[in-house]
Amino acid sequence: MNDSERVQGDPGPLEAILRIALGFQASKVLFSAVRFGLFTELAEKPLTAEELRVRLGLHPRSARDFFDALVALGLLEREDGPDGRYANTPSAARYLDRARDTYLGRALEMYDNRLYGFWGSLADGLRTGEPQNEIKDGGELFGTLYKDPERLACFQQAMTGLTMRSADALAEKVDWSAHRTVADIGCAEGAMLSHLLHRHPHLRGTGFDLEAVRGNFERHRERCGPADRLSFAAGNFFHDPLPRADVLVLGHILHDWDLPTKRMLLRKAYEALPEGGLVVIHESFIDDDRRRNLVGLLGSLNMLIETPGGFDCTAADCRGWLAEAGFRESRTQHLAGAESMVVGRK
């Protein structure tokens, strides 16, 4: 079998390379479908290619190719026959319908609108060690973000979509029965806290973030609750002590910062906890052998693109820093997908 035949047939070395090289095409197909609201349209009922094309306002030239590419990507199902109707696959129905609480589209929009372009300068970042986002032009990522209410709301919704994939596992794999209070450091909308408190009615929760976050947090709290057990505390974890609670949760926080800042945050967590209290750190940790968790490794490269000093770490690295901060024991446990947690006990 020659290489041209193999590309169209059984997977082989050439196809594997081309799939990586042309991965941007699949990304843009997905991003475009999310932008058009395609999966939300199909959540109402299955549609023929022509019905779906008209609803989305697409030109007839390539609409069918677009829809069938989504079938090949495993995001749509299609009935047999020339007028077979299209429907969402179960995963698309759960994560790509704007009406669902599990909607991941805000994160995908952020990838499309921000990261897609910035990653075009990855080679420059690798040569210089410098960020390749707004910082290149004298801006500041988080400062700019938190001054723009619309962008901040989109960012928080994106963080909700990314964080909630581990919510069920986090609610189950920590022994919450031994604790009464929990604080989420860098809480965004507070969706993770809300989920934990609904699953464990004995808990009371505090969301800790910058004052600019309060409005979106309060709106989410009123919409999703439980309002009587959930509160917001404004603060800056660089300058202020962390709130006192039996359990402190840091989700997708450590990877934003350089090593001295990581160590500082873990020391602050130790100081804020009572004896026997827990710090729960959940991220896409790189596997300890640095061979398998591609999501974690690419996430660390993304920190090069986005931050002056941030990087993703292995769970073993994190546990070492916890020990340096004074935590007497720690453990690692898988949550969901590429996500794991490191739990340290004071």
Side-chain angles (χ1 to χ4, degrees), residues 8 27 31 44 57 60 66 77 88 108 115 136 142 146 167 191 221 224 228-229 233 235 243 265 286 315 318 322 329:
Q8 298 177 26
S27 297
F31 295 156
E44 298 179 13
F66 176 51
E77 297 172 345
N88 291 329
L108 300 180
L115 298 188
K136 286 180 69 173
F142 290 111
Y146 278 69
R221 185 183 74 155
C224 299
D228 60 330
R229 292 186 286 119
L265 289 172
I286 299 170
C318 185
L322 285 172
E329 61 182 76

Side-chain angles (χ1 to χ4, degrees), residues 118 121 130-141 144 305:
F118 294 145
S121 300
E130 298 294 330
Q132 299 300 309
N133 59 2
E134 297 92 342
I135 298 174
K136 286 180 69 173
D137 299 319
E140 198 276 313
L141 172 60
T144 301
I305 297 290

